Amino acid sequence: MDDESLSQWAKRRDARIGQLRAVPLVRGGGPRGAHLNPDAPRVIQRWNGHVWEPHGFAADLAEARRVLFPDTEAARSSGPAPKLGPGTGKHRKPQTPR
């Protein structure tokens, strides 16, 4: 049997401390896919090493994503996307300025 040592398990568990997740507040058997109820309010939960504890509240999926992934908003608004050349292939190169 390939059991991991207690120190390895504790290190792996402690690496997740502070991790956040958003759980929709809907009826049913627990958390489901986020895309199923995008307008449902969410509870932001934080992992403390033992259980998920309440950390905050979001009105919908969009607000929850802004709380969970704040860095992606800055990257997304860094500038306009480059204009691509004609065609539908995935290997299109950006147009050169004229």
mmCIF file of all heavy atoms in Angstrom, residues 17-71:
data_model
loop_
_atom_site.group_PDB
_atom_site.id
_atom_site.type_symbol
_atom_site.label_atom_id
_atom_site.label_comp_id
_atom_site.label_asym_id
_atom_site.label_seq_id
_atom_site.Cartn_x
_atom_site.Cartn_y
_atom_site.Cartn_z
ATOM 1 N N ILE A 17 -5.136 26.305 2.591
ATOM 2 C CA ILE A 17 -5.718 27.217 3.582
ATOM 3 C C ILE A 17 -5.844 28.614 2.962
ATOM 4 O O ILE A 17 -4.913 29.125 2.359
ATOM 5 C CB ILE A 17 -4.875 27.252 4.870
ATOM 6 C CG1 ILE A 17 -5.001 25.915 5.590
ATOM 7 C CG2 ILE A 17 -5.312 28.393 5.783
ATOM 8 C CD1 ILE A 17 -4.170 25.797 6.836
ATOM 9 N N GLY A 18 -7.010 29.197 3.106
ATOM 10 C CA GLY A 18 -7.273 30.520 2.548
ATOM 11 C C GLY A 18 -7.919 30.479 1.176
ATOM 12 O O GLY A 18 -8.318 31.507 0.653
ATOM 13 N N GLN A 19 -8.038 29.298 0.574
ATOM 14 C CA GLN A 19 -8.658 29.171 -0.741
ATOM 15 C C GLN A 19 -10.135 29.542 -0.640
ATOM 16 O O GLN A 19 -10.806 29.221 0.335
ATOM 17 C CB GLN A 19 -8.514 27.742 -1.252
ATOM 18 C CG GLN A 19 -9.123 27.510 -2.604
ATOM 19 C CD GLN A 19 -8.961 26.061 -3.056
ATOM 20 O OE1 GLN A 19 -8.320 25.260 -2.401
ATOM 21 N NE2 GLN A 19 -9.555 25.749 -4.178
ATOM 22 N N LEU A 20 -10.642 30.237 -1.657
ATOM 23 C CA LEU A 20 -12.043 30.671 -1.675
ATOM 24 C C LEU A 20 -12.829 29.875 -2.702
ATOM 25 O O LEU A 20 -12.275 29.431 -3.713
ATOM 26 C CB LEU A 20 -12.140 32.156 -2.012
ATOM 27 C CG LEU A 20 -11.472 33.139 -1.060
ATOM 28 C CD1 LEU A 20 -11.594 34.551 -1.602
ATOM 29 C CD2 LEU A 20 -12.073 33.047 0.326
ATOM 30 N N ARG A 21 -14.131 29.714 -2.434
ATOM 31 C CA ARG A 21 -15.042 29.129 -3.415
ATOM 32 C C ARG A 21 -16.394 29.796 -3.263
ATOM 33 O O ARG A 21 -16.727 30.337 -2.211
ATOM 34 C CB ARG A 21 -15.158 27.613 -3.246
ATOM 35 C CG ARG A 21 -15.986 27.173 -2.070
ATOM 36 C CD ARG A 21 -16.175 25.665 -2.055
ATOM 37 N NE ARG A 21 -17.014 25.259 -0.936
ATOM 38 C CZ ARG A 21 -17.359 24.017 -0.684
ATOM 39 N NH1 ARG A 21 -16.916 23.050 -1.449
ATOM 40 N NH2 ARG A 21 -18.138 23.736 0.341
ATOM 41 N N ALA A 22 -17.177 29.768 -4.335
ATOM 42 C CA ALA A 22 -18.515 30.352 -4.325
ATOM 43 C C ALA A 22 -19.535 29.231 -4.463
ATOM 44 O O ALA A 22 -19.446 28.411 -5.373
ATOM 45 C CB ALA A 22 -18.670 31.344 -5.470
ATOM 46 N N VAL A 23 -20.498 29.197 -3.561
ATOM 47 C CA VAL A 23 -21.535 28.169 -3.565
ATOM 48 C C VAL A 23 -22.879 28.847 -3.787
ATOM 49 O O VAL A 23 -23.254 29.746 -3.036
ATOM 50 C CB VAL A 23 -21.544 27.402 -2.218
ATOM 51 C CG1 VAL A 23 -22.629 26.351 -2.216
ATOM 52 C CG2 VAL A 23 -20.194 26.790 -1.951
ATOM 53 N N PRO A 24 -23.630 28.433 -4.838
ATOM 54 C CA PRO A 24 -24.932 29.050 -5.083
ATOM 55 C C PRO A 24 -25.935 28.706 -3.989
ATOM 56 O O PRO A 24 -25.930 27.604 -3.442
ATOM 57 C CB PRO A 24 -25.369 28.469 -6.429
ATOM 58 C CG PRO A 24 -24.465 27.353 -6.724
ATOM 59 C CD PRO A 24 -23.272 27.446 -5.836
ATOM 60 N N LEU A 25 -26.779 29.670 -3.675
ATOM 61 C CA LEU A 25 -27.843 29.465 -2.690
ATOM 62 C C LEU A 25 -29.099 29.035 -3.430
ATOM 63 O O LEU A 25 -29.944 29.852 -3.788
ATOM 64 C CB LEU A 25 -28.108 30.750 -1.910
ATOM 65 C CG LEU A 25 -27.000 31.196 -0.971
ATOM 66 C CD1 LEU A 25 -27.336 32.549 -0.372
ATOM 67 C CD2 LEU A 25 -26.789 30.181 0.124
ATOM 68 N N VAL A 26 -29.209 27.749 -3.706
ATOM 69 C CA VAL A 26 -30.373 27.194 -4.401
ATOM 70 C C VAL A 26 -30.847 25.960 -3.659
ATOM 71 O O VAL A 26 -30.095 25.343 -2.903
ATOM 72 C CB VAL A 26 -30.044 26.845 -5.872
ATOM 73 C CG1 VAL A 26 -29.734 28.089 -6.670
ATOM 74 C CG2 VAL A 26 -28.898 25.862 -5.953
ATOM 75 N N ARG A 27 -32.080 25.608 -3.890
ATOM 76 C CA ARG A 27 -32.611 24.383 -3.292
ATOM 77 C C ARG A 27 -32.003 23.188 -3.997
ATOM 78 O O ARG A 27 -31.664 23.247 -5.166
ATOM 79 C CB ARG A 27 -34.123 24.340 -3.434
ATOM 80 C CG ARG A 27 -34.804 25.350 -2.594
ATOM 81 C CD ARG A 27 -36.287 25.179 -2.708
ATOM 82 N NE ARG A 27 -36.947 26.180 -1.898
ATOM 83 C CZ ARG A 27 -38.187 26.536 -2.044
ATOM 84 N NH1 ARG A 27 -38.926 25.974 -2.968
ATOM 85 N NH2 ARG A 27 -38.705 27.457 -1.274
ATOM 86 N N GLY A 28 -31.902 22.100 -3.287
ATOM 87 C CA GLY A 28 -31.404 20.885 -3.907
ATOM 88 C C GLY A 28 -30.394 20.188 -3.030
ATOM 89 O O GLY A 28 -30.247 20.498 -1.848
ATOM 90 N N GLY A 29 -29.683 19.276 -3.629
ATOM 91 C CA GLY A 29 -28.767 18.429 -2.883
ATOM 92 C C GLY A 29 -27.365 18.966 -2.758
ATOM 93 O O GLY A 29 -26.418 18.199 -2.820
ATOM 94 N N GLY A 30 -27.156 20.253 -2.631
ATOM 95 C CA GLY A 30 -25.823 20.785 -2.417
ATOM 96 C C GLY A 30 -25.301 21.563 -3.599
ATOM 97 O O GLY A 30 -26.033 21.832 -4.550
ATOM 98 N N PRO A 31 -24.026 21.928 -3.578
ATOM 99 C CA PRO A 31 -23.438 22.735 -4.651
ATOM 100 C C PRO A 31 -23.532 22.036 -6.006
ATOM 101 O O PRO A 31 -23.338 20.830 -6.108
ATOM 102 C CB PRO A 31 -21.985 22.900 -4.224
ATOM 103 C CG PRO A 31 -21.959 22.607 -2.776
ATOM 104 C CD PRO A 31 -23.077 21.652 -2.516
ATOM 105 N N ARG A 32 -23.834 22.787 -7.007
ATOM 106 C CA ARG A 32 -23.902 22.289 -8.382
ATOM 107 C C ARG A 32 -23.015 23.169 -9.253
ATOM 108 O O ARG A 32 -22.385 24.091 -8.782
ATOM 109 C CB ARG A 32 -25.336 22.349 -8.886
ATOM 110 C CG ARG A 32 -26.313 21.566 -8.048
ATOM 111 C CD ARG A 32 -26.910 20.465 -8.875
ATOM 112 N NE ARG A 32 -27.921 19.761 -8.113
ATOM 113 C CZ ARG A 32 -27.816 18.485 -7.812
ATOM 114 N NH1 ARG A 32 -26.777 17.799 -8.178
ATOM 115 N NH2 ARG A 32 -28.768 17.883 -7.137
ATOM 116 N N GLY A 33 -22.990 22.899 -10.539
ATOM 117 C CA GLY A 33 -22.203 23.690 -11.464
ATOM 118 C C GLY A 33 -22.603 25.154 -11.436
ATOM 119 O O GLY A 33 -23.789 25.490 -11.371
ATOM 120 N N ALA A 34 -21.613 26.030 -11.480
ATOM 121 C CA ALA A 34 -21.867 27.469 -11.384
ATOM 122 C C ALA A 34 -22.712 27.981 -12.546
ATOM 123 O O ALA A 34 -23.484 28.914 -12.387
ATOM 124 C CB ALA A 34 -20.546 28.224 -11.332
ATOM 125 N N HIS A 35 -22.585 27.363 -13.710
ATOM 126 C CA HIS A 35 -23.278 27.856 -14.893
ATOM 127 C C HIS A 35 -24.778 27.559 -14.878
ATOM 128 O O HIS A 35 -25.523 28.119 -15.669
ATOM 129 C CB HIS A 35 -22.658 27.231 -16.138
ATOM 130 C CG HIS A 35 -22.838 25.742 -16.195
ATOM 131 N ND1 HIS A 35 -22.099 24.882 -15.414
ATOM 132 C CD2 HIS A 35 -23.680 24.977 -16.913
ATOM 133 C CE1 HIS A 35 -22.470 23.643 -15.663
ATOM 134 N NE2 HIS A 35 -23.437 23.669 -16.563
ATOM 135 N N LEU A 36 -25.256 26.695 -13.981
ATOM 136 C CA LEU A 36 -26.665 26.308 -13.979
ATOM 137 C C LEU A 36 -27.589 27.404 -13.483
ATOM 138 O O LEU A 36 -28.702 27.544 -13.962
ATOM 139 C CB LEU A 36 -26.862 25.050 -13.132
ATOM 140 C CG LEU A 36 -26.173 23.801 -13.665
ATOM 141 C CD1 LEU A 36 -26.417 22.638 -12.735
ATOM 142 C CD2 LEU A 36 -26.645 23.480 -15.069
ATOM 143 N N ASN A 37 -27.152 28.195 -12.524
ATOM 144 C CA ASN A 37 -27.968 29.273 -11.969
ATOM 145 C C ASN A 37 -27.127 30.550 -11.886
ATOM 146 O O ASN A 37 -26.748 30.969 -10.799
ATOM 147 C CB ASN A 37 -28.485 28.899 -10.574
ATOM 148 C CG ASN A 37 -29.439 27.739 -10.609
ATOM 149 O OD1 ASN A 37 -30.425 27.775 -11.321
ATOM 150 N ND2 ASN A 37 -29.130 26.698 -9.859
ATOM 151 N N PRO A 38 -26.831 31.194 -13.021
ATOM 152 C CA PRO A 38 -25.938 32.356 -12.980
ATOM 153 C C PRO A 38 -26.497 33.551 -12.214
ATOM 154 O O PRO A 38 -25.735 34.379 -11.736
ATOM 155 C CB PRO A 38 -25.713 32.703 -14.448
ATOM 156 C CG PRO A 38 -26.855 32.097 -15.171
ATOM 157 C CD PRO A 38 -27.277 30.897 -14.380
ATOM 158 N N ASP A 39 -27.815 33.648 -12.075
ATOM 159 C CA ASP A 39 -28.407 34.787 -11.372
ATOM 160 C C ASP A 39 -28.649 34.527 -9.889
ATOM 161 O O ASP A 39 -29.071 35.428 -9.167
ATOM 162 C CB ASP A 39 -29.731 35.192 -12.033
ATOM 163 C CG ASP A 39 -29.513 35.668 -13.458
ATOM 164 O OD1 ASP A 39 -28.437 36.227 -13.729
ATOM 165 O OD2 ASP A 39 -30.411 35.473 -14.295
ATOM 166 N N ALA A 40 -28.377 33.319 -9.421
ATOM 167 C CA ALA A 40 -28.602 32.976 -8.014
ATOM 168 C C ALA A 40 -27.521 33.614 -7.142
ATOM 169 O O ALA A 40 -26.367 33.712 -7.539
ATOM 170 C CB ALA A 40 -28.583 31.460 -7.830
ATOM 171 N N PRO A 41 -27.886 34.058 -5.949
ATOM 172 C CA PRO A 41 -26.872 34.615 -5.035
ATOM 173 C C PRO A 41 -25.894 33.524 -4.598
ATOM 174 O O PRO A 41 -26.216 32.347 -4.612
ATOM 175 C CB PRO A 41 -27.686 35.137 -3.853
ATOM 176 C CG PRO A 41 -29.011 34.483 -3.961
ATOM 177 C CD PRO A 41 -29.215 34.091 -5.373
ATOM 178 N N ARG A 42 -24.676 33.933 -4.220
ATOM 179 C CA ARG A 42 -23.645 33.000 -3.812
ATOM 180 C C ARG A 42 -23.076 33.353 -2.454
ATOM 181 O O ARG A 42 -22.961 34.520 -2.114
ATOM 182 C CB ARG A 42 -22.477 33.021 -4.798
ATOM 183 C CG ARG A 42 -22.560 31.957 -5.857
ATOM 184 C CD ARG A 42 -23.002 32.497 -7.134
ATOM 185 N NE ARG A 42 -22.867 31.493 -8.185
ATOM 186 C CZ ARG A 42 -23.869 31.181 -8.950
ATOM 187 N NH1 ARG A 42 -25.026 31.733 -8.785
ATOM 188 N NH2 ARG A 42 -23.723 30.320 -9.927
ATOM 189 N N VAL A 43 -22.720 32.313 -1.726
ATOM 190 C CA VAL A 43 -21.976 32.482 -0.488
ATOM 191 C C VAL A 43 -20.520 32.219 -0.826
ATOM 192 O O VAL A 43 -20.183 31.207 -1.443
ATOM 193 C CB VAL A 43 -22.446 31.479 0.593
ATOM 194 C CG1 VAL A 43 -21.545 31.529 1.802
ATOM 195 C CG2 VAL A 43 -23.872 31.762 0.984
ATOM 196 N N ILE A 44 -19.647 33.141 -0.461
ATOM 197 C CA ILE A 44 -18.207 32.946 -0.650
ATOM 198 C C ILE A 44 -17.699 32.238 0.604
ATOM 199 O O ILE A 44 -17.889 32.726 1.715
ATOM 200 C CB ILE A 44 -17.466 34.287 -0.835
ATOM 201 C CG1 ILE A 44 -18.115 35.113 -1.952
ATOM 202 C CG2 ILE A 44 -15.994 34.051 -1.089
ATOM 203 C CD1 ILE A 44 -18.064 34.501 -3.316
ATOM 204 N N GLN A 45 -17.072 31.085 0.406
ATOM 205 C CA GLN A 45 -16.566 30.311 1.526
ATOM 206 C C GLN A 45 -15.044 30.256 1.470
ATOM 207 O O GLN A 45 -14.461 30.289 0.393
ATOM 208 C CB GLN A 45 -17.130 28.886 1.503
ATOM 209 C CG GLN A 45 -18.621 28.836 1.679
ATOM 210 C CD GLN A 45 -19.160 27.423 1.576
ATOM 211 O OE1 GLN A 45 -18.585 26.566 0.923
ATOM 212 N NE2 GLN A 45 -20.283 27.185 2.231
ATOM 213 N N ARG A 46 -14.429 30.155 2.641
ATOM 214 C CA ARG A 46 -12.967 30.112 2.768
ATOM 215 C C ARG A 46 -12.585 28.827 3.478
ATOM 216 O O ARG A 46 -13.173 28.461 4.485
ATOM 217 C CB ARG A 46 -12.483 31.314 3.564
ATOM 218 C CG ARG A 46 -10.998 31.397 3.727
ATOM 219 C CD ARG A 46 -10.627 32.656 4.532
ATOM 220 N NE ARG A 46 -9.229 32.638 4.848
ATOM 221 C CZ ARG A 46 -8.699 32.068 5.928
ATOM 222 N NH1 ARG A 46 -9.468 31.481 6.801
ATOM 223 N NH2 ARG A 46 -7.412 32.092 6.130
ATOM 224 N N TRP A 47 -11.578 28.114 2.955
ATOM 225 C CA TRP A 47 -11.091 26.883 3.564
ATOM 226 C C TRP A 47 -10.139 27.233 4.701
ATOM 227 O O TRP A 47 -9.154 27.943 4.502
ATOM 228 C CB TRP A 47 -10.386 26.024 2.524
ATOM 229 C CG TRP A 47 -9.846 24.739 3.053
ATOM 230 C CD1 TRP A 47 -8.541 24.409 3.219
ATOM 231 C CD2 TRP A 47 -10.597 23.596 3.488
ATOM 232 N NE1 TRP A 47 -8.431 23.145 3.716
ATOM 233 C CE2 TRP A 47 -9.682 22.621 3.905
ATOM 234 C CE3 TRP A 47 -11.950 23.314 3.577
ATOM 235 C CZ2 TRP A 47 -10.079 21.386 4.393
ATOM 236 C CZ3 TRP A 47 -12.341 22.084 4.053
ATOM 237 C CH2 TRP A 47 -11.409 21.132 4.453
ATOM 238 N N ASN A 48 -10.416 26.755 5.918
ATOM 239 C CA ASN A 48 -9.563 27.081 7.061
ATOM 240 C C ASN A 48 -8.639 25.934 7.451
ATOM 241 O O ASN A 48 -7.981 25.985 8.482
ATOM 242 C CB ASN A 48 -10.401 27.524 8.264
ATOM 243 C CG ASN A 48 -11.191 26.386 8.877
ATOM 244 O OD1 ASN A 48 -11.074 25.226 8.512
ATOM 245 N ND2 ASN A 48 -12.038 26.747 9.829
ATOM 246 N N GLY A 49 -8.603 24.889 6.658
ATOM 247 C CA GLY A 49 -7.764 23.736 6.945
ATOM 248 C C GLY A 49 -8.557 22.556 7.438
ATOM 249 O O GLY A 49 -8.071 21.429 7.445
ATOM 250 N N HIS A 50 -9.793 22.806 7.857
ATOM 251 C CA HIS A 50 -10.644 21.735 8.361
ATOM 252 C C HIS A 50 -12.032 21.751 7.728
ATOM 253 O O HIS A 50 -12.552 20.701 7.382
ATOM 254 C CB HIS A 50 -10.784 21.823 9.887
ATOM 255 C CG HIS A 50 -9.473 21.738 10.591
ATOM 256 N ND1 HIS A 50 -8.798 20.563 10.756
ATOM 257 C CD2 HIS A 50 -8.703 22.699 11.152
ATOM 258 C CE1 HIS A 50 -7.658 20.789 11.396
ATOM 259 N NE2 HIS A 50 -7.579 22.085 11.644
ATOM 260 N N VAL A 51 -12.635 22.912 7.614
ATOM 261 C CA VAL A 51 -13.979 23.042 7.040
ATOM 262 C C VAL A 51 -14.052 24.323 6.206
ATOM 263 O O VAL A 51 -13.229 25.228 6.343
ATOM 264 C CB VAL A 51 -15.082 23.093 8.129
ATOM 265 C CG1 VAL A 51 -15.146 21.810 8.908
ATOM 266 C CG2 VAL A 51 -14.888 24.268 9.049
ATOM 267 N N TRP A 52 -15.068 24.382 5.318
ATOM 268 C CA TRP A 52 -15.354 25.608 4.575
ATOM 269 C C TRP A 52 -16.183 26.502 5.488
ATOM 270 O O TRP A 52 -17.241 26.109 5.951
ATOM 271 C CB TRP A 52 -16.132 25.297 3.298
ATOM 272 C CG TRP A 52 -15.323 24.590 2.275
ATOM 273 C CD1 TRP A 52 -15.304 23.252 2.032
ATOM 274 C CD2 TRP A 52 -14.410 25.173 1.359
ATOM 275 N NE1 TRP A 52 -14.432 22.979 1.019
ATOM 276 C CE2 TRP A 52 -13.871 24.142 0.575
ATOM 277 C CE3 TRP A 52 -13.987 26.477 1.111
ATOM 278 C CZ2 TRP A 52 -12.942 24.358 -0.433
ATOM 279 C CZ3 TRP A 52 -13.059 26.701 0.109
ATOM 280 C CH2 TRP A 52 -12.545 25.652 -0.649
ATOM 281 N N GLU A 53 -15.703 27.729 5.743
ATOM 282 C CA GLU A 53 -16.420 28.660 6.608
ATOM 283 C C GLU A 53 -16.899 29.857 5.797
ATOM 284 O O GLU A 53 -16.274 30.224 4.805
ATOM 285 C CB GLU A 53 -15.528 29.130 7.755
ATOM 286 C CG GLU A 53 -14.263 29.831 7.310
ATOM 287 C CD GLU A 53 -13.317 30.147 8.458
ATOM 288 O OE1 GLU A 53 -13.535 29.653 9.569
ATOM 289 O OE2 GLU A 53 -12.370 30.899 8.217
ATOM 290 N N PRO A 54 -18.033 30.472 6.173
ATOM 291 C CA PRO A 54 -18.539 31.638 5.441
ATOM 292 C C PRO A 54 -17.516 32.782 5.458
ATOM 293 O O PRO A 54 -16.896 33.053 6.477
ATOM 294 C CB PRO A 54 -19.797 32.033 6.204
ATOM 295 C CG PRO A 54 -20.163 30.838 7.004
ATOM 296 C CD PRO A 54 -18.903 30.093 7.268
ATOM 297 N N HIS A 55 -17.351 33.418 4.312
ATOM 298 C CA HIS A 55 -16.378 34.499 4.192
ATOM 299 C C HIS A 55 -17.007 35.762 3.617
ATOM 300 O O HIS A 55 -16.575 36.868 3.907
ATOM 301 C CB HIS A 55 -15.223 34.033 3.297
ATOM 302 C CG HIS A 55 -14.141 35.041 3.110
ATOM 303 N ND1 HIS A 55 -13.263 35.376 4.102
ATOM 304 C CD2 HIS A 55 -13.801 35.808 2.040
ATOM 305 C CE1 HIS A 55 -12.410 36.293 3.652
ATOM 306 N NE2 HIS A 55 -12.723 36.569 2.406
ATOM 307 N N GLY A 56 -18.016 35.601 2.767
ATOM 308 C CA GLY A 56 -18.647 36.764 2.142
ATOM 309 C C GLY A 56 -19.891 36.357 1.384
ATOM 310 O O GLY A 56 -20.361 35.227 1.472
ATOM 311 N N PHE A 57 -20.415 37.303 0.615
ATOM 312 C CA PHE A 57 -21.650 37.108 -0.124
ATOM 313 C C PHE A 57 -21.528 37.804 -1.471
ATOM 314 O O PHE A 57 -20.932 38.866 -1.566
ATOM 315 C CB PHE A 57 -22.829 37.683 0.673
ATOM 316 C CG PHE A 57 -24.148 37.524 -0.008
ATOM 317 C CD1 PHE A 57 -24.813 36.317 0.027
ATOM 318 C CD2 PHE A 57 -24.728 38.576 -0.682
ATOM 319 C CE1 PHE A 57 -26.038 36.161 -0.601
ATOM 320 C CE2 PHE A 57 -25.951 38.437 -1.320
ATOM 321 C CZ PHE A 57 -26.603 37.219 -1.269
ATOM 322 N N ALA A 58 -22.088 37.185 -2.518
ATOM 323 C CA ALA A 58 -22.107 37.787 -3.852
ATOM 324 C C ALA A 58 -23.530 37.701 -4.401
ATOM 325 O O ALA A 58 -24.226 36.701 -4.187
ATOM 326 C CB ALA A 58 -21.136 37.075 -4.781
ATOM 327 N N ALA A 59 -23.953 38.723 -5.102
ATOM 328 C CA ALA A 59 -25.324 38.783 -5.610
ATOM 329 C C ALA A 59 -25.573 37.820 -6.761
ATOM 330 O O ALA A 59 -26.689 37.345 -6.947
ATOM 331 C CB ALA A 59 -25.650 40.201 -6.055
ATOM 332 N N ASP A 60 -24.544 37.523 -7.569
ATOM 333 C CA ASP A 60 -24.704 36.611 -8.701
ATOM 334 C C ASP A 60 -23.353 36.029 -9.100
ATOM 335 O O ASP A 60 -22.342 36.280 -8.450
ATOM 336 C CB ASP A 60 -25.368 37.321 -9.885
ATOM 337 C CG ASP A 60 -24.585 38.541 -10.356
ATOM 338 O OD1 ASP A 60 -23.481 38.781 -9.850
ATOM 339 O OD2 ASP A 60 -25.086 39.255 -11.230
ATOM 340 N N LEU A 61 -23.335 35.253 -10.164
ATOM 341 C CA LEU A 61 -22.112 34.586 -10.611
ATOM 342 C C LEU A 61 -21.041 35.583 -11.031
ATOM 343 O O LEU A 61 -19.864 35.410 -10.708
ATOM 344 C CB LEU A 61 -22.429 33.627 -11.762
ATOM 345 C CG LEU A 61 -21.256 32.889 -12.384
ATOM 346 C CD1 LEU A 61 -20.556 32.013 -11.345
ATOM 347 C CD2 LEU A 61 -21.711 32.059 -13.568
ATOM 348 N N ALA A 62 -21.415 36.642 -11.723
ATOM 349 C CA ALA A 62 -20.434 37.628 -12.183
ATOM 350 C C ALA A 62 -19.714 38.287 -11.007
ATOM 351 O O ALA A 62 -18.483 38.442 -11.024
ATOM 352 C CB ALA A 62 -21.114 38.679 -13.047
ATOM 353 N N GLU A 63 -20.453 38.664 -9.988
ATOM 354 C CA GLU A 63 -19.822 39.275 -8.820
ATOM 355 C C GLU A 63 -18.948 38.274 -8.071
ATOM 356 O O GLU A 63 -17.864 38.613 -7.595
ATOM 357 C CB GLU A 63 -20.897 39.827 -7.882
ATOM 358 C CG GLU A 63 -20.323 40.577 -6.699
ATOM 359 C CD GLU A 63 -21.398 41.151 -5.800
ATOM 360 O OE1 GLU A 63 -22.543 41.332 -6.252
ATOM 361 O OE2 GLU A 63 -21.075 41.414 -4.624
ATOM 362 N N ALA A 64 -19.396 37.025 -7.995
ATOM 363 C CA ALA A 64 -18.598 35.992 -7.330
ATOM 364 C C ALA A 64 -17.277 35.780 -8.055
ATOM 365 O O ALA A 64 -16.233 35.623 -7.422
ATOM 366 C CB ALA A 64 -19.379 34.690 -7.269
ATOM 367 N N ARG A 65 -17.307 35.804 -9.379
ATOM 368 C CA ARG A 65 -16.058 35.641 -10.143
ATOM 369 C C ARG A 65 -15.111 36.809 -9.917
ATOM 370 O O ARG A 65 -13.904 36.629 -9.888
ATOM 371 C CB ARG A 65 -16.375 35.477 -11.624
ATOM 372 C CG ARG A 65 -16.923 34.119 -11.938
ATOM 373 C CD ARG A 65 -17.105 33.920 -13.411
ATOM 374 N NE ARG A 65 -17.524 32.558 -13.670
ATOM 375 C CZ ARG A 65 -18.025 32.163 -14.811
ATOM 376 N NH1 ARG A 65 -18.169 33.001 -15.820
ATOM 377 N NH2 ARG A 65 -18.385 30.897 -14.966
ATOM 378 N N ARG A 66 -15.653 38.021 -9.774
ATOM 379 C CA ARG A 66 -14.789 39.174 -9.496
ATOM 380 C C ARG A 66 -14.118 39.033 -8.135
ATOM 381 O O ARG A 66 -12.980 39.449 -7.948
ATOM 382 C CB ARG A 66 -15.595 40.464 -9.570
ATOM 383 C CG ARG A 66 -15.896 40.905 -10.984
ATOM 384 C CD ARG A 66 -16.445 42.322 -11.041
ATOM 385 N NE ARG A 66 -17.742 42.450 -10.390
ATOM 386 C CZ ARG A 66 -18.916 42.254 -10.989
ATOM 387 N NH1 ARG A 66 -18.943 41.905 -12.256
ATOM 388 N NH2 ARG A 66 -20.036 42.410 -10.325
ATOM 389 N N VAL A 67 -14.815 38.444 -7.164
ATOM 390 C CA VAL A 67 -14.234 38.233 -5.839
ATOM 391 C C VAL A 67 -13.187 37.120 -5.876
ATOM 392 O O VAL A 67 -12.099 37.252 -5.320
ATOM 393 C CB VAL A 67 -15.333 37.898 -4.805
ATOM 394 C CG1 VAL A 67 -14.735 37.464 -3.490
ATOM 395 C CG2 VAL A 67 -16.249 39.080 -4.613
ATOM 396 N N LEU A 68 -13.509 36.019 -6.567
ATOM 397 C CA LEU A 68 -12.613 34.866 -6.582
ATOM 398 C C LEU A 68 -11.391 35.067 -7.460
ATOM 399 O O LEU A 68 -10.314 34.558 -7.153
ATOM 400 C CB LEU A 68 -13.374 33.620 -7.054
ATOM 401 C CG LEU A 68 -14.523 33.159 -6.177
ATOM 402 C CD1 LEU A 68 -15.222 31.968 -6.819
ATOM 403 C CD2 LEU A 68 -14.043 32.805 -4.791
ATOM 404 N N PHE A 69 -11.536 35.780 -8.566
ATOM 405 C CA PHE A 69 -10.446 35.951 -9.532
ATOM 406 C C PHE A 69 -10.225 37.424 -9.846
ATOM 407 O O PHE A 69 -10.480 37.875 -10.967
ATOM 408 C CB PHE A 69 -10.767 35.190 -10.827
ATOM 409 C CG PHE A 69 -11.207 33.773 -10.598
ATOM 410 C CD1 PHE A 69 -12.522 33.390 -10.814
ATOM 411 C CD2 PHE A 69 -10.308 32.817 -10.161
ATOM 412 C CE1 PHE A 69 -12.942 32.090 -10.612
ATOM 413 C CE2 PHE A 69 -10.704 31.508 -9.956
ATOM 414 C CZ PHE A 69 -12.026 31.142 -10.179
ATOM 415 N N PRO A 70 -9.716 38.217 -8.897
ATOM 416 C CA PRO A 70 -9.555 39.653 -9.145
ATOM 417 C C PRO A 70 -8.485 39.968 -10.183
ATOM 418 O O PRO A 70 -8.552 40.999 -10.838
ATOM 419 C CB PRO A 70 -9.174 40.211 -7.770
ATOM 420 C CG PRO A 70 -8.592 39.059 -7.043
ATOM 421 C CD PRO A 70 -9.296 37.843 -7.559
ATOM 422 N N ASP A 71 -7.508 39.116 -10.371
ATOM 423 C CA ASP A 71 -6.410 39.390 -11.309
ATOM 424 C C ASP A 71 -6.851 39.295 -12.762
ATOM 425 O O ASP A 71 -6.275 39.945 -13.619
ATOM 426 C CB ASP A 71 -5.258 38.419 -11.074
ATOM 427 C CG ASP A 71 -4.657 38.577 -9.685
ATOM 428 O OD1 ASP A 71 -4.786 39.678 -9.104
ATOM 429 O OD2 ASP A 71 -4.087 37.602 -9.187
#
